[in-house]
């Protein structure tokens, strides 16, 4: 994997760059749709490629390991062939999913023991094992196994959690270096900075991660219950230390405003389930504000769903029709909203990149945050 910076911009840490993988080039900053089980909910791969123009999507080690299982994925020739996606894929190591199981997992020195949410069967994820699993999945970018502590953790817990994450990282990094991909193309491995909301822990973790010299680095453990301003503070603390010549990936964030603030602080890659999850519940993000499509105000509004939108659904369907679909609980409503929201998110980061290159990102971002946070 290669990364180059094309442009920086005044009064901001934002940068425009380019990640090159064996499955394609990713312009940054970039938003990555979440395809947890090998699919982005309700969205065809053709729509992701041709309408949304996603440059990279996510898969999840925990979910793919449990179902369909590694034998099926390896038999297909890797996830790219299994789900018919010919662009880059990033896989989360499953650390966050195991963390979210809480009552059904135990963390030990050897790894994370957990019970499947599907059938209750017992499993163990080790730092080495999740590298092997991601080798089988065949993602272009693999993530290290970490523990993601709650944003409200006290210092003592955060300290112990970080020490465990760092010990796991050493083992995972070694396994990555002594193994190769299975399908004839290269795979990158991103370590994850943790440390909860404690600047001294975040600085220590960022230094530990930087010293590995990986192709890219991730910032984890944010947007998990801590105040938004604390999240922004931690991003700044970490990005002051992480190497500027490697991509920085902020995991699991967030709203359009969160994304713009993260880009402003030097983040290159982001992902979140919000565009599809909120879309399925009737929330549309637009460049002029947020629309709740269940509201009665749209019942006789026959204008285009989003006149400024970049997706075909924005101009094909009226607001009244989309509201009717949601009120009627039609599956098509959720598909339309998912396509729209993902297209908007990808459009937003493209526009951010354009303004970084033009040198006026700071003023554009201020205006856009005011617009995207309005309630319509």
């Amino acid at each position: 994997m290669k990364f180059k910076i094309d442009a920086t911009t005044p009064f901001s840490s934002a940068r425009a760059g380019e990640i090159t993988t064996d499955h394609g080039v990713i312009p940054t900053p970039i938003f990555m749709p979440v395809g947890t089980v090998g699919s982005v909910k309700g969205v065809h791969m053709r729509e992701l490629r041709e309408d949304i123009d996603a440059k990279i999507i996510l898969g999840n080690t925990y979910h793919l390991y449990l179902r369909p299982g590694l034998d099926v994925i390896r038999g297909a020739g890797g996830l790219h062939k299994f789900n018919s996606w010919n662009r880059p894929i990033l896989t989360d190591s499953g650390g966050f999913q195991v963390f979210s199981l809480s009552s059904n997992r135990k963390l030990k020195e050897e790894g994370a023991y957990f019970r499947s949410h599907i059938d209750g069967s017992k499993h163990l994820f080790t730092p080495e094992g999740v590298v092997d699993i991601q080798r089988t999945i065949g993602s272009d970018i693999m993530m290290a196994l970490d523990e993601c502590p709650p944003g409200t953790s006290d210092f003592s817990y955060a300290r112990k959690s970080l020490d465990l994450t760092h010990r796991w990282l050493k083992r995972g990094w070694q396994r990555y270096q002594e193994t190769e991909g299975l399908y004839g193309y290269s795979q990158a491995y991103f370590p994850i900075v943790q440390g909860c909301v404690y600047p001294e822990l975040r600085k220590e973790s960022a230094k530990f991660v930087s010293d590995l010299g990986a192709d890219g680095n991730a910032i984890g453990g944010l947007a998990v219950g801590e105040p938004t301003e604390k999240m922004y503070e931690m991003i700044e603390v970490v990005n002051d230390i992480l190497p500027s010549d490697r991509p920085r990936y902020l995991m699991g964030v967030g709203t359009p405003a969160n994304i713009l603030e993260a880009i402003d602080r030097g983040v290159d890659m982001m992902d979140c389930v919000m565009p599809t999850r909120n879309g399925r519940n009737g929330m549309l993000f637009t460049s002029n504000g947020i629309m709740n499509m269940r509201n009665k105000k749209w019942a006789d509004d026959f204008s285009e769903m989003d006149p400024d939108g970049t997706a075909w659904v924005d101009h094909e369907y009226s607001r009244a029709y989309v509201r009717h679909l949601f009120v009627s609980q039609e599956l098509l409503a959720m598909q339309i909203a998912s396509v729209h929201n993902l297209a908007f998110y990808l459009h937003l980061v493209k526009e951010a990149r354009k303004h970084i290159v033009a040198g006026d990102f700071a003023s554009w971002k201020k205006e856009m945050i005011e617009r995207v946070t309005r309630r319509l």
Side-chain angles (χ1 to χ4, degrees), residues 36-73:
T36 304
V37 298
S39 71
V40 177
K41 279 186 170 58
V43 182
H44 290 289
M45 293 300 174
R46 181 175 177 177
E47 291 171 316
L48 282 168
R49 280 191 299 266
E50 298 179 11
D51 194 38
I52 295 164
D53 195 25
K55 301 299 186 183
I56 175 174
I57 64 172
L58 266 67
N60 183 262
T61 294
Y62 167 85
H63 288 282
L64 292 168
Y65 161 80
L66 291 176
R67 188 167 53 194
L70 301 183
D71 289 344
V72 172
I73 293 174

Side-chain angles (χ1 to χ4, degrees), residues 152-363:
T152 54
S153 300
D154 61 30
F155 185 86
S156 176
Y157 184 93
R159 169 81 268 171
K160 292 176 183 176
S161 172
L162 183 62
D163 289 343
L164 179 62
T165 286
H166 285 176
R167 292 194 299 272
W168 281 359
L169 178 54
K170 285 182 181 179
R171 290 163 52 191
W173 178 245
Q174 182 175 343
R175 184 60 148 249
Y176 168 71
Q177 291 184 304
E178 63 191 20
T179 58
E180 295 182 355
L182 304 179
Y183 309 112
Y185 54 85
S186 63
Q187 295 176 276
Y189 179 88
F190 282 21
I192 303 171
V193 176
Q194 287 289 355
C196 200
V197 294
Y198 302 103
E200 58 268 50
L201 296 184
R202 286 285 176 177
K203 289 177 182 178
E204 177 186 332
S205 188
K207 177 66 165 58
F208 188 93
V209 161
S210 299
D211 287 347
L212 290 179
D215 289 323
N217 302 295
I219 306 169
L222 294 176
V224 288
E226 79 286 353
T228 303
E229 288 309 315
K230 183 61 71 170
M231 174 176 74
Y232 296 150
E233 178 191 343
M234 293 304 101
I235 294 171
E236 292 174 9
V237 165
V238 168
N239 280 349
D240 278 345
I241 297 170
L242 290 180
S244 61
D245 62 346
R246 310 293 165 91
R248 301 162 177 160
Y249 164 31
L250 178 61
M251 307 179 73
V253 179
T255 66
N258 291 157
I259 284 172
L260 293 175
E261 295 287 5
I263 292 171
D264 189 29
R265 290 162 171 79
V267 168
D268 306 295
M269 308 165 69
M270 293 138 288
D271 77 284
C272 191
V273 297
M274 189 170 283
T276 47
R277 177 178 290 171
N278 289 34
R280 292 195 301 274
N281 288 299
M283 180 181 285
L284 298 187
F285 299 100
T286 78
S287 56
N288 293 304
I290 301 167
M291 302 169 66
N292 180 349
M293 298 313 296
R294 296 181 185 276
N295 284 353
K296 190 168 175 43
K297 67 185 293 185
W298 312 120
D300 58 355
D301 186 339
F302 303 108
S303 59
E304 293 181 353
M305 186 174 74
D306 182 6
D308 298 323
T310 61
W312 68 273
V313 295
D314 295 325
H315 311 288
E316 183 80 8
Y317 303 113
S318 71
R319 295 170 177 180
Y321 180 65
V322 174
R323 179 188 183 270
H324 158 69
L325 294 178
F326 271 109
V327 171
S328 304
Q329 299 183 8
E330 283 291 319
L331 292 177
L332 181 58
M334 296 183 273
Q335 291 178 290
I336 290 170
S338 295
V339 170
H340 161 82
N341 279 348
L342 287 173
F344 170 69
Y345 268 60
L346 267 295
H347 172 69
L348 185 67
V349 294
K350 284 179 186 175
E351 287 295 297
R353 190 181 201 282
K354 185 188 303 181
H355 286 279
I356 293 168
V357 172
D360 63 349
F361 173 81
S363 58

Side-chain angles (χ1 to χ4, degrees), residues 18-139:
E18 211 171 65
I19 300 169
T20 302
T21 75
D22 288 345
H23 279 103
V25 175
I26 306 162
T28 63
I30 194 66
F31 178 81
M32 304 178 285
V34 177
T36 304
V37 298
S39 71
V40 177
K41 279 186 170 58
V43 182
H44 290 289
M45 293 300 174
R46 181 175 177 177
E47 291 171 316
L48 282 168
R49 280 191 299 266
E50 298 179 11
D51 194 38
I52 295 164
D53 195 25
K55 301 299 186 183
I56 175 174
I57 64 172
L58 266 67
N60 183 262
T61 294
Y62 167 85
H63 288 282
L64 292 168
Y65 161 80
L66 291 176
R67 188 167 53 194
L70 301 183
D71 289 344
V72 172
I73 293 174
R74 186 160 189 170
L79 184 57
H80 290 88
K81 291 186 177 178
F82 186 54
N83 71 356
S84 301
W85 179 254
N86 59 4
R87 295 181 182 181
I89 295 175
L90 181 150
T91 42
D92 185 357
S93 68
F96 181 79
Q97 283 67 36
V98 170
F99 148 75
S100 66
L101 292 170
S102 59
S103 61
N104 286 320
R105 53 93 168 160
K106 289 184 179 179
L107 303 181
K108 302 282 188 179
E109 190 63 37
E110 58 267 32
Y113 290 88
F114 63 93
R115 287 185 177 273
S116 164
H117 72 287
I118 299 169
D119 59 10
S121 56
K122 294 181 180 179
H123 302 271
L124 169 64
F125 271 1
T126 67
E128 298 87 353
V130 296
V131 170
D132 297 342
I133 294 168
Q134 290 176 96
R135 290 291 195 196
T136 300
I137 292 171
S139 51

